[in-house]
Amino acid sequence: MSGDITPNEILRHYNQVDEASRLRRGWFQLEQARTQELILRHLPPVPATVIDAGGGAGAYACWLASRGYEVHLIDPVPRHVEQARVASKQQPAHPLASAEVGDARHLPQGEAIADAVLLLGPLYHLVERPDRIACLREAHRVLRPGGLVWGAAISRFASLFDSLSSGFFDDPAFAPILARDLEDGQHRNPTTNLIYFTDAFFHRPGELSRDFLAAGFQIVELVAIEGPGWLARDFDRLWNDPAQRERLLAAVRKVEREPSVLGASSHIMAIGRK
Ligand SMILES: C[S@@+](CC[C@H](N)C(=O)[O-])C[C@H]1O[C@@H](n2cnc3c(N)ncnc32)[C@H](O)[C@@H]1O
């Protein structure tokens, strides 16, 4: 286990890319719409307490706060926490309950105080399984009996699909990165190219379920977030046409649990119950 220190690689990456604007670009908009849909599918009504561990710049935390939830955000990147605090101030009627620098493996909250925990980041940035299990056990500790956790993973095959559809499959610098992703899911980027991301672990769908079960959760759902929708040619044209956007979302929903398609999604979501 690597302790509770976030690797410098991860901190350096997020100081160079703008996580605060990511979900407004290209197919990340599909990731956001589907993530929101999957959260609302199971989230209890207000009043309820949500911990967003790995909440980044606050996209989901501020959205849930604006819907009346008591939301606590934790993230190891100080820049993200600052961005989340700024976003929270922009909705003074529904601010975040708290936004603090921290680590999903060591939450500051007491036992059994939360109705929901979001882990939309830590499970792919924690590259060692004992750390991922520790993170999930920590979510289990802070949840009330019956409480829910949403955990996002990056698919083992995401970088293969991404390289083919985005056109960097033949970059010699990317070849060894992809080879290792496919070999053991350990994603490392020794280049300075930011689109090749940073230290991460890429799950097979079954590995994500096993992590949840090992931490004591029952699996409520295991679904594709974007399904194959992120690979759409000319994504922006489809997304900006309301009728095509609905068709795309309906198609993704239709195949969200199809085992033979799960690994083609960029992200996979497991929802677990304590
Ligand atoms: C791609 S961002 C996603 C942010 C947001 N949750 C979302 O889904 O849009 C991944 C986040 O995970 C955070 N993270 C990485 N390691 C973490 C850890 N050990 N504990 C909590 N958060 C972590 C990063 O700092 C980053 O903000």
Side-chain angles (χ1 to χ4, degrees):
M1 206 159 140
S2 60
D4 60 358
I5 307 295
T6 298
N8 286 336
E9 283 304 322
I10 293 177
L11 296 174
R12 195 167 27 240
H13 177 78
Y14 285 114
N15 282 325
Q16 292 180 80
V17 301
D18 186 32
E19 179 57 28
S21 61
R22 181 179 66 88
L23 294 170
R24 295 197 289 272
R25 294 195 307 272
W27 65 262
F28 296 116
Q29 297 166 97
L30 172 62
E31 174 189 330
Q32 182 175 35
R34 284 282 297 159
T35 300
Q36 290 180 333
E37 173 180 335
L38 294 170
I39 291 171
L40 292 184
R41 190 179 286 177
H42 299 283
L43 194 66
V46 291
T49 301
V50 180
I51 298 173
D52 189 356
Y60 298 109
C62 288
W63 165 69
L64 288 172
S66 74
R67 298 177 77 98
Y69 290 92
E70 176 185 326
V71 187
H72 300 270
L73 178 143
I74 288 123
D75 199 280
V77 176
R79 179 188 187 203
H80 288 174
V81 174
E82 195 44 48
Q83 288 170 325
R85 287 179 182 156
V86 169
S88 172
K89 281 196 187 116
Q90 286 164 3
Q91 46 185 65
H94 296 284
L96 296 177
S98 68
E100 300 295 336
V101 173
D103 190 300
R105 289 165 291 180
H106 303 281
L107 297 175
Q109 285 81 14
E111 280 179 31
I113 59 91
D115 301 287
V117 175
L118 305 182
L119 297 173
L120 310 177
L123 296 181
Y124 50 81
H125 280 309
L126 292 168
V127 298
E128 302 293 340
R129 186 164 192 253
D131 285 324
R132 295 193 291 277
I133 305 296
C135 166
L136 283 161
R137 288 216 171 105
E138 193 59 349
H140 196 275
R141 181 184 68 78
V142 299
L143 279 169
R144 298 192 171 105
L148 295 171
V149 61
W150 285 253
I154 297 177
S155 165
R156 172 70 53 88
F157 311 106
S159 59
L160 172 60
F161 285 108
D162 196 15
S163 63
L164 290 167
S165 68
S166 303
F168 54 85
F169 179 77
D170 58 353
D171 177 357
F174 182 69
I177 299 176
L178 176 62
R180 184 152 184 212
D181 290 350
L182 295 177
E183 182 63 29
D184 62 6
Q186 291 293 345
H187 182 80
R188 300 292 183 278
N189 175 12
T191 78
T192 53
N193 191 340
L194 295 170
I195 68 163
Y196 296 160
F197 203 40
T198 181
D199 292 4
F201 175 72
F202 292 174
H203 283 79
R204 287 198 169 92
E207 290 172 322
L208 183 60
S209 303
R210 282 194 287 281
D211 286 356
F212 270 57
L213 294 172
F217 286 104
Q218 294 169 353
I219 306 284
V220 176
E221 281 205 283
L222 180 72
V223 289
I225 296 184
E226 305 88 352
W230 68 302
L231 302 166
R233 183 178 295 203
D234 208 359
F235 178 89
D236 286 331
R237 185 179 55 78
L238 288 181
W239 193 252
N240 292 330
D241 176 333
Q244 294 304 332
R245 182 190 299 193
E246 282 315 308
R247 280 190 66 227
L248 177 62
L249 284 166
V252 167
R253 218 170 276 134
K254 183 83 183 160
V255 299
E256 66 179 13
R257 288 190 206 140
E258 171 58 46
S260 60
V261 176
L262 272 182
S265 188
S266 176
H267 295 89
I268 300 158
M269 176 89 83
I271 300 156
R273 186 183 304 282
K274 174 172 175 177

